[in-house]
Amino acid sequence: MPCYMVHASTQELTPDPLDADQVVSGNPQVSAYELLDTEALAVGIWQHTAGVSTDVEVDEIFVVLTGRATIEVAGGPTLEVGPGDVGVLEAGAQTTWTVHEDLRKIYIIRG
């Protein structure tokens, strides 16, 4: 793999639309930029605009760059995240993301 860099805060992202059944309220738009994708590891930049959506998670560590959100984990904690926060999500966790301010994060997913 060649060496390179991107500016995570301004990198142009590709739309990655939510399924209609994931949208709870508002008109959230999701986009991403993949830096690395192997069988063992995926790394990228992900953005979710203001609104509420649901997801079933994978094993992930993330760092919030910009924005604010409340992540409700079914049967688990409620996470209030903002710039500089590092979060861990467990595979299979059912989550509801209430994004208060457009959220951009770096993610690392274990394959």
Side-chain angles (χ1 to χ4, degrees):
M1 168 189 299
C3 298
Y4 71 100
M5 60 81 57
V6 299
H7 189 74
S9 295
T10 59
Q11 175 62 43
E12 186 173 329
L13 308 181
T14 302
D16 186 18
L18 294 165
D19 291 336
D21 62 340
Q22 289 181 274
V23 176
V24 175
S25 68
N27 184 26
Q29 302 297 308
V30 172
S31 53
Y33 179 83
E34 199 165 78
L35 294 157
L36 173 70
D37 188 16
T38 68
E39 281 187 38
L41 194 65
V43 179
I45 305 165
W46 182 85
Q47 184 166 297
H48 185 299
T49 63
V52 182
S53 67
T54 61
D55 200 9
V56 177
E57 302 300 335
V58 295
D59 283 330
E60 176 183 342
I61 295 173
F62 64 88
V63 179
V64 177
L65 299 171
T66 60
R68 298 201 175 279
T70 302
I71 307 165
E72 296 175 62
V73 180
T78 297
L79 311 172
E80 299 289 340
V81 299
D85 288 336
V86 178
V88 177
L89 298 171
E90 180 181 25
Q94 296 179 343
T95 56
T96 301
W97 291 71
T98 302
V99 177
H100 311 289
E101 300 169 14
D102 293 358
L103 183 84
R104 185 176 278 225
K105 67 178 183 172
I106 301 292
Y107 64 84
I108 302 168
I109 297 172
R110 183 171 61 169

